[in-house]
Amino acid sequence: MGKKKTMKNRITGFDSDNSSGDFSETNHKVAEMLDLDPSQSNRTGKHNGERQRQENGIKKHRTSLPAPMFSRSDFSVWSILKKCIGLELSKITMPIVFNEPLSFLQRITEYMEHIYLIHKASSHVNSLERMQAVAAFAVSAVASQWERTGKPFNPLLGETYELIREDLGFRFISEQVSHHPPVSAFYSEGLNKDFVFHGSIYPKLKFWGKSVEAEPRGTITLELLKHNEAYTWTNPTCCVHNIIIGKLWIEQYGTIEIVNHSTGDKCVLNFKPCGLFGKELHRVEGHIQDKNKKKLSVIYGKWTECLWCIDPATYDSSKKNEKRGGDQKKMKPSEDAENDEADDMPEIQETVQMIRGSKLLWRINSRPPNSSQIYNFTSFAVSLNELETGMEAILAPTDCRLRPDIRSMENGDLDLASKEKERLEEKQRSNRKERAKDEVEWTTRWFHQGNNPYTGTSDWLYSGGYFDRNFSDCPDIY
């Protein structure tokens, strides 16, 4: 206990959780239900909710929800929010119709949709290429919020969510570690022990009359274990406009700094606000610099579409030509750009003007054709609340998938969802009063409060042990 851990296991759970060597049998069963193993149906037979598998054995996740989303046109958010201008919104109860059938813990899990970028970063020998891939991952992590105007359910204190994706090479666990203020902690690790990704999020919400602003306070940390590197950053501010009248739309703005604590390299990304005529809507622009502040690469694109990188001199020359009135030819990525991911990327309407010689870092995944009827979910988001027969016996009893209000909303029963939400919130209040009466402090199960080892700021760190699956002391929150 007195020995100082190396970076590899100072934060990771690799020295516990059955992490040495292969997965435990129980963890494989969970992964099978979520992803793989064509022999699973041979052992258990077909059951309700079992999905068809592809020929390669990878399980097909569901592509839709049991019921379409509800119309919000008959509900007035103004009647609720008009007395809350300038106030913090975490304690205000909103009608359930403005929610989406996911917990905020599941929304955080959507950071992992483009996890291939982390694997790619780990595979690069060059530190600049690693930073480019990490920057693309940081931008991709907020891309799922595009057109997602529904509010995720506030997690209950002690609520958890786990996800194992053997096909994508990671496992993930999160816990609601504080209720006031609301703090969500998460931890993920590569199944090949190539990375650790963790952080804690404290979403500060404010209402400004026509818009709601969400500032996601908290530090995000990525460790590339093979390279003994750690990167930290914070997410940009998200703003939902026209919540009173008109079509809802979302923008992200603010400057984020991604710091490589091993090399001193830094990536500065500016998520640009919309501006008066909307010219800068969704645009991201920035650069990578070394520890001596020398620019190494310029990054540009849109967080809703794609991200490119280019040599700084070429970028500056292009911008000068633009100012002189030079009209750049708008090219398809395959014509002149380095694009080793092009074959796997969907064809999306391009509005980012690509500069000749740019390299594609990332392109957003296409959404399901019925996305507008299912809360504008991505394909990844649609799969997050799947619950198959047998999973309840393996998951922690605090897992989001077992929340009756979210499940009822997903199934299309808004009245039951509203009643269950009220019941759960009253149960939480009652439990809090009992603890206060008995002078008992709440104890988190899987995370503990400490300081981030790279920034020194307050953080919630993974304690280990979740994937040992001893859930006997989990609280009864549902």
Side-chain angles (χ1 to χ4, degrees):
M1 291 294 290
K3 285 187 178 181
K4 186 177 180 181
K5 294 183 180 181
T6 64
M7 193 193 85
K8 265 196 175 184
N9 58 17
R10 174 163 45 186
I11 297 299
T12 76
F14 287 146
D15 52 344
S16 61
D17 293 302
N18 293 315
S19 299
S20 56
D22 296 332
F23 271 153
S24 67
E25 182 181 354
T26 304
N27 284 327
H28 266 306
K29 287 181 180 177
V30 176
E32 287 164 2
M33 290 179 180
L34 296 174
D35 288 303
L36 311 167
D37 192 7
S39 64
Q40 175 77 1
S41 59
N42 294 333
R43 290 201 305 268
T44 62
K46 290 195 176 284
H47 50 68
N48 292 333
E50 186 174 25
R51 307 295 175 199
Q52 186 180 6
R53 290 176 171 81
Q54 299 172 356
E55 290 181 2
N56 61 3
I58 297 177
K59 193 180 110 172
K60 289 183 178 179
H61 290 278
R62 66 182 184 181
T63 58
S64 189
L65 299 179
M69 67 180 288
F70 299 93
S71 171
R72 297 171 179 148
S73 58
D74 296 333
F75 297 85
S76 171
V77 69
W78 176 243
S79 63
I80 301 155
L81 294 181
K82 61 185 177 182
K83 298 179 182 179
C84 307
I85 297 176
L87 299 180
E88 208 276 318
L89 294 184
S90 63
K91 297 182 181 180
I92 297 170
T93 301
M94 297 286 289
I96 202 169
V97 72
F98 295 108
N99 283 41
E100 62 178 24
L102 288 178
S103 167
F104 183 68
L105 296 183
Q106 291 166 311
R107 178 73 83 92
I108 290 175
T109 313
E110 293 184 60
Y111 289 171
M112 310 303 290
E113 179 173 355
H114 300 274
I115 192 65
Y116 76 89
L117 291 166
I118 290 183
H119 297 309
K120 194 172 184 179
S122 185
S123 71
H124 285 311
V125 176
N126 183 279
S127 63
L128 174 59
E129 291 182 310
R130 290 197 295 275
M131 178 63 90
Q132 288 170 343
V134 171
F137 175 75
V139 173
S140 77
V142 300
S144 67
Q145 296 186 41
W146 179 37
E147 296 187 333
R148 293 279 289 282
T149 54
K151 176 183 175 295
F153 281 70
N154 293 332
L156 300 168
L157 184 61
E159 186 174 312
T160 61
Y161 182 73
E162 71 160 279
L163 184 63
I164 300 175
R165 289 291 297 260
E166 291 196 348
D167 59 330
L168 300 179
F170 75 88
R171 63 182 184 182
F172 181 100
I173 172 63
S174 58
E175 179 183 7
Q176 190 69 8
V177 293
S178 174
H179 185 60
H180 290 306
V183 181
S184 307
F186 69 89
Y187 168 88
S188 180
E189 62 190 24
L191 301 185
N192 294 323
K193 302 183 181 179
D194 53 342
F195 77 88
V196 168
F197 178 56
H198 55 93
S200 50
I201 305 295
Y202 168 20
K204 190 78 172 178
L205 304 178
K206 279 198 173 182
F207 173 51
W208 296 114
K210 295 181 181 179
S211 62
V212 171
E213 187 179 76
E215 181 188 352
R217 300 178 180 181
T219 302
I220 308 295
T221 303
L222 170 65
E223 300 175 27
L224 298 181
L225 305 180
K226 175 182 173 183
H227 303 283
N228 202 38
E229 288 181 338
Y231 302 78
T232 60
W233 67 91
T234 57
N235 285 328
T237 295
C238 179
C239 189
V240 181
H241 293 273
N242 292 341
I243 61 170
I244 306 303
I245 190 170
K247 184 179 179 181
L248 292 170
W249 61 279
I250 290 177
E251 69 171 328
Q252 310 247 13
Y253 46 76
T255 300
I256 70 171
E257 291 188 355
I258 305 170
V259 179
N260 182 332
H261 292 269
S262 300
T263 65
D265 293 351
K266 181 187 294 185
C267 179
V268 181
L269 293 176
N270 180 19
F271 286 71
K272 297 192 174 185
C274 175
L276 190 59
F277 301 105
K279 183 180 179 182
E280 302 295 331
L281 181 62
H282 305 325
R283 292 196 177 275
V284 180
E285 197 171 278
H287 66 272
I288 297 172
Q289 64 187 41
D290 65 16
K291 61 182 179 181
N292 298 316
K293 298 187 178 180
K294 177 185 176 182
K295 281 190 181 181
L296 305 176
S297 179
V298 170
I299 292 176
Y300 67 97
K302 287 190 175 184
W303 62 267
T304 55
E305 292 181 21
C306 57
L307 207 63
W308 302 84
C309 69
I310 193 169
D311 174 76
T314 306
Y315 182 81
D316 291 341
S317 175
S318 172
K319 287 300 178 183
K320 286 178 183 177
N321 288 336
E322 260 186 39
K323 289 179 180 178
R324 293 192 195 106
D327 187 20
Q328 299 247 357
K329 180 185 176 184
K330 189 175 178 181
M331 301 177 302
K332 293 182 179 179
S334 59
E335 288 181 358
D336 216 55
E338 296 179 40
N339 181 10
D340 55 357
E341 296 289 334
D343 292 341
D344 300 325
M345 296 296 175
E347 292 185 8
I348 297 176
Q349 183 63 39
E350 182 69 74
T351 64
V352 175
Q353 185 171 300
M354 192 209 75
I355 301 169
R356 185 181 296 272
S358 297
K359 180 175 73 171
L360 181 67
L361 296 177
W362 161 78
R363 191 183 295 279
I364 197 169
N365 291 331
S366 59
R367 295 193 176 180
N370 58 339
S371 182
S372 62
Q373 282 104 42
I374 51 173
Y375 307 89
N376 290 311
F377 280 2
T378 64
S379 296
F380 187 83
V382 169
S383 70
L384 292 178
N385 207 44
E386 283 184 285
L387 182 65
E388 296 191 10
T389 303
M391 284 181 66
E392 290 184 45
I394 297 173
L395 294 171
T398 50
D399 195 279
C400 301
R401 297 176 184 87
L402 307 178
R403 269 189 72 157
D405 51 351
I406 296 178
R407 184 63 56 190
S408 297
M409 186 177 191
E410 181 183 281
N411 289 334
D413 193 335
L414 197 61
D415 290 338
L416 180 58
S418 185
K419 290 176 183 176
E420 286 291 343
K421 181 172 178 286
E422 290 178 13
R423 181 184 66 80
L424 292 175
E425 289 171 348
E426 179 54 39
K427 182 173 183 175
Q428 181 170 240
R429 283 190 290 269
S430 177
N431 289 340
R432 185 170 64 248
K433 290 177 182 177
E434 285 295 317
R435 288 195 304 274
K437 179 182 176 182
D438 298 336
E439 297 183 347
V440 175
E441 296 243 347
W442 174 262
T443 303
T444 55
R445 295 317 191 266
W446 313 114
F447 293 81
H448 63 275
Q449 199 162 16
N451 291 327
N452 187 290
Y454 309 107
T455 66
T457 56
S458 178
D459 206 348
W460 285 86
L461 310 175
Y462 181 52
S463 301
Y466 178 87
F467 294 101
D468 291 336
R469 301 199 177 277
N470 179 6
F471 302 139
S472 59
D473 63 343
C474 285
D476 175 15
I477 60 174
Y478 301 144

